[in-house]
Amino acid sequence: MMTNLFSIFDPSTSQSISLNWVSTLLIILSTPYLYWVIPSRLQILIINMFNILNKELSILLSNSKKPGMTFLLISLFWLISMNNSLGLLPHIFTSTSHIMMTLSLALPIWMTIMLFGWLNNTTHMFAHLVPQGTPPALMMFMVCIESISNLIRPITLSVRLAANMIAGHLLLTLLSNSAVMSSLSTTLTISIAQIALLTLEMAVALIQAYVFVVLSTLYSTEIH
């Protein structure tokens, strides 16, 4: 029995042991293995998706591409997308709907980018605080605005991912609760709406992972 609507996102399965976070490790079971002589159709689909993503990220990192950078970003995409998708299955906790998980992903990426930029390209980082063509009277304000914009980036990255995951699950829960005491026709309509919403959530699971990775890539290009 839920004490409140948001208790479905509470990562606790019992008073003695918590098993919800184990779902994060299930990504290992879904990772495509390359030692098969003949890969399955699922493995071919995943590899093709990785190749397309690698080409797009390589274009974004054309001026600042480092060895293994795209591999790191693709791994991050796979981690987030699989946790988003696993959360759509019954009785599996969506770890990416918890701010602790999303902030743990966004904060190290942002700190690494900032430390690398300020230690290796200090002059460029100072110049980036004042956009080109800014009037002298507004330079002080632009420095404050750009500084705040940089500082809140890990928060916006993590909150965007968690909020989008929470929104879909809350809507599915609200529709389920309203269908319990409804008539047969209403229940059928709600069921069709839930199927459509679930299909949309599958797309959102991949889109949000893609957005997270692309924004991280764009942030890393600003330090060069």
Side-chain angles (χ1 to χ4, degrees):
M1 186 69 181
M2 292 191 301
T3 55
N4 58 72
L5 191 58
F6 286 90
S7 63
I8 60 174
F9 302 104
D10 185 17
S12 57
T13 49
S14 66
Q15 296 294 331
S16 57
I17 186 172
S18 178
L19 299 178
N20 279 328
W21 290 103
V22 179
S23 63
T24 308
L25 303 177
L26 294 178
I27 186 177
I28 300 174
L29 302 178
S30 58
T31 302
Y33 299 104
L34 301 179
Y35 52 75
W36 296 106
V37 177
I38 302 177
S40 64
R41 290 180 179 145
L42 179 61
Q43 292 175 352
I44 294 175
L45 177 63
I46 294 173
I47 292 173
N48 289 336
M49 181 177 64
F50 285 173
N51 290 332
I52 295 173
L53 189 61
N54 180 60
K55 292 179 181 178
E56 293 190 10
L57 295 178
S58 297
I59 295 174
L60 294 175
L61 295 170
S62 57
N63 297 328
S64 58
K65 188 175 181 181
K66 301 295 182 182
M69 186 65 178
T70 56
F71 178 76
L72 173 65
L73 294 170
I74 291 173
S75 302
L76 181 63
F77 170 82
W78 184 245
L79 172 67
I80 297 175
S81 61
M82 286 308 302
N83 278 285
N84 292 348
S85 302
L86 286 173
L88 298 174
L89 299 176
H91 306 293
I92 293 184
F93 171 68
T94 312
S95 58
T96 46
S97 67
H98 205 288
I99 193 66
M100 183 173 68
M101 174 69 174
T102 57
L103 192 60
S104 298
L105 293 174
L107 190 59
I109 294 174
W110 175 81
M111 290 185 64
T112 303
I113 293 173
M114 288 293 103
L115 286 175
F116 181 86
W118 282 105
L119 292 177
N120 295 276
N121 300 305
T122 307
T123 304
H124 177 78
M125 295 297 291
F126 275 117
H128 187 71
L129 295 177
V130 182
Q132 188 176 4
T134 303
L138 298 178
M139 285 184 178
M140 183 180 299
F141 298 100
M142 291 304 299
V143 169
C144 296
I145 293 173
E146 289 294 329
S147 300
I148 295 174
S149 176
N150 286 329
L151 290 175
I152 65 173
R153 279 179 177 178
I155 300 176
T156 55
L157 272 178
S158 56
V159 171
R160 180 187 293 107
L161 178 58
N164 280 279
M165 291 299 102
I166 289 175
H169 287 70
L170 279 179
L171 189 54
L172 286 171
T173 304
L174 289 172
L175 289 175
S176 301
N177 293 338
S178 61
V180 174
M181 302 300 293
S182 302
S183 61
L184 180 60
S185 59
T186 305
T187 303
L188 182 60
T189 303
I190 293 176
S191 300
I192 296 174
Q194 281 187 310
I195 294 174
L197 183 60
L198 186 61
T199 305
L200 178 62
E201 282 297 302
M202 293 178 184
V204 170
L206 296 177
I207 292 173
Q208 288 303 314
Y210 178 76
V211 170
F212 191 97
V213 170
V214 169
L215 287 178
S216 300
T217 306
L218 294 176
Y219 293 160
S220 65
T221 58
E222 293 181 359
I223 63 176
H224 295 276

